[in-house]
Amino acid sequence: MLQHYLSAGDLSRSEAEALLDRAARLKAEFRTNGGGAHAGLPLQGKTLALVFEKPSLRTRVAFEAGMTQLGGHGSYLSANDIDMGGRESVPDVARNLSRWVQAIAARVFKHATVETLARYASVPVINALSDREHPCQALADVLTLREHFGALQGLRLAYVGDGNNVCHSLLLLGATLGLDLAVACPPDYRPDPEILERAEGLARASGARIAISAAPAEAVSGADAVYTDVWTSMGQEHETARRRPSFAPYQVNPALMARAAPRAVFMHCLPAHRGEEVTAEVIDGPQSVVFEQAENRLHVQKALILSLLGV
Ligand code: CP
Ligand code: NVA
């Protein structure tokens, strides 16, 4: 298993599948025991530090609740608490935390920060979102798809909107697992070419197909899942007004959903802006699986911590 989880492309196909299987077992156990602690409290005495430079609901609570359910503890440190890179350098934060805790989850502005943490930490580091990737989200997303459709190989996912961190991680993990991905983005907001090249290499190995275009209707045509995310990610708020006209034609609304397969699901990592990237009818309608995705954050993040800690 991996030493750190910084990128959704870090997992081999068999590692990703084993993680999903483990998450599914943890979910079943959690449901059987009525949502309490897991048998044997495998992380008793262990602490996960949560170093977060940006706000979070799902990622933070899923890690904290997950640690509690496994018998351990999550220690949340906001930017106000430690001011990483200001009050103290990133390497020093990593070296200090490694003396006290057994793992670090970090939500950062610059992807380089999570890489520096991993370089200097002697404990596993998990990327809890960076400007480049959101690999924990992608794990929950593929678990949701697997639960809904059974198999992932050959499933068609259309991602419509910003070629951002969420899109990058979906491309990498989806390509690893054999998902066909059609991405439709405004021309100035396409996925990073380096990520795309990596995803294309992974797709060649798994048999997945990747298509990038600027045409949402084409991408969504016949898709089994339609995924979108906010037009302006955390840290880009100053670009909101400039982005709005570029993204307006990329809204997921009933007319766009009607082009997908009749069995298609709607996906979003949340938080969502109803009336912008998605209309209320779609996100609150019968095809939406957004809260299943959110629920699965808990189970995949527990599976990830256990695996990184070799438990
Ligand atoms: N989807 C997601 O990561 O949500 P949070 O930003 O609330 O953690
Ligand atoms: N792309 C979004 C995802 C939030 C979970 C952001 O980075 O803000």
Side-chain angles (χ1 to χ4, degrees):
M1 178 63 198
L2 303 171
Q3 205 185 342
H4 305 287
Y5 184 53
L6 306 186
S7 164
D10 288 346
L11 294 170
S12 68
R13 185 171 194 159
S14 59
E15 284 170 339
E17 283 169 348
L19 261 181
L20 295 179
D21 291 344
R22 187 163 203 181
R25 287 197 301 275
L26 287 164
K27 182 171 182 175
E29 191 188 333
F30 182 70
R31 289 195 164 172
T32 322
N33 75 13
H38 287 280
L41 300 176
L43 296 187
Q44 204 160 23
K46 301 210 188 295
T47 302
L48 170 72
L50 294 153
V51 179
F52 277 39
E53 294 182 335
K54 303 177 186 176
S56 168
L57 174 67
R58 280 148 291 272
T59 311
R60 174 182 177 176
V61 178
F63 273 128
E64 290 184 341
M67 285 303 290
T68 303
Q69 290 156 19
L70 293 167
H73 174 69
S75 179
Y76 180 77
L77 300 156
S78 74
N80 287 340
D81 295 310
I82 60 171
D83 182 19
M84 197 164 44
R87 182 172 184 264
E88 193 148 12
S89 74
V90 178
D92 278 5
V93 170
R95 289 183 286 220
N96 277 274
L97 287 173
S98 299
R99 302 290 175 116
W100 308 314
V101 306
Q102 286 65 50
I104 300 168
R107 169 166 287 200
V108 300
F109 284 98
K110 295 194 186 89
H111 188 74
T113 304
V114 85
E115 290 180 329
T116 306
L117 280 171
R119 191 169 321 124
Y120 289 93
S122 57
V123 298
V125 174
I126 299 168
N127 179 357
L129 182 147
S130 68
D131 58 355
R132 195 169 172 81
E133 280 208 49
H134 197 359
C136 296
Q137 180 69 48
L139 279 172
D141 298 339
V142 294
L143 178 61
T144 307
L145 286 168
R146 204 178 73 161
E147 286 174 342
H148 198 88
F149 292 107
L152 292 170
Q153 183 77 43
L155 216 56
R156 295 175 63 184
L157 184 142
Y159 178 95
V160 178
D162 193 7
N164 62 13
N165 46 7
V166 167
C167 177
H168 287 164
S169 291
L170 268 177
L171 276 167
L172 293 168
L173 192 59
T176 302
L177 291 167
L179 267 180
D180 289 344
L181 297 130
V183 177
C185 304
D188 292 342
Y189 299 96
R190 286 164 64 97
D192 185 291
E194 263 177 49
I195 298 263
L196 206 49
E197 202 183 314
R198 230 171 119 205
E200 276 160 357
L202 294 166
R204 277 193 289 280
S206 72
R209 284 176 303 183
I210 296 179
I212 312 287
S213 78
E218 195 181 292
V220 165
S221 175
D224 300 303
V226 179
Y227 200 122
T228 192
D229 186 14
V230 290
W231 293 342
T232 302
S233 284
M234 291 180 278
Q236 299 169 336
E237 290 75 7
H238 59 286
E239 297 178 17
T240 303
R242 176 153 61 81
R243 285 171 167 256
R244 199 166 284 130
S246 306
F247 282 98
Y250 293 79
Q251 183 186 66
V252 180
N253 51 35
L256 190 65
M257 281 304 290
R259 295 180 173 269
R263 66 170 189 166
V265 294
F266 169 74
M267 304 181 81
H268 193 306
C269 58
L270 304 179
H273 295 153
R274 287 169 176 76
E276 293 188 17
E277 76 275 7
V278 60
T279 61
E281 298 103 293
V282 171
I283 193 168
D284 299 319
Q287 288 171 291
S288 176
V289 293
V290 299
F291 299 112
E292 279 69 32
Q293 292 171 259
E295 177 182 355
N296 283 336
R297 298 294 302 278
L298 175 68
H299 308 296
V300 296
Q301 288 173 204
K302 282 195 280 197
L304 183 63
I305 297 167
L306 288 168
S307 303
L308 285 169
L309 293 179
V311 178

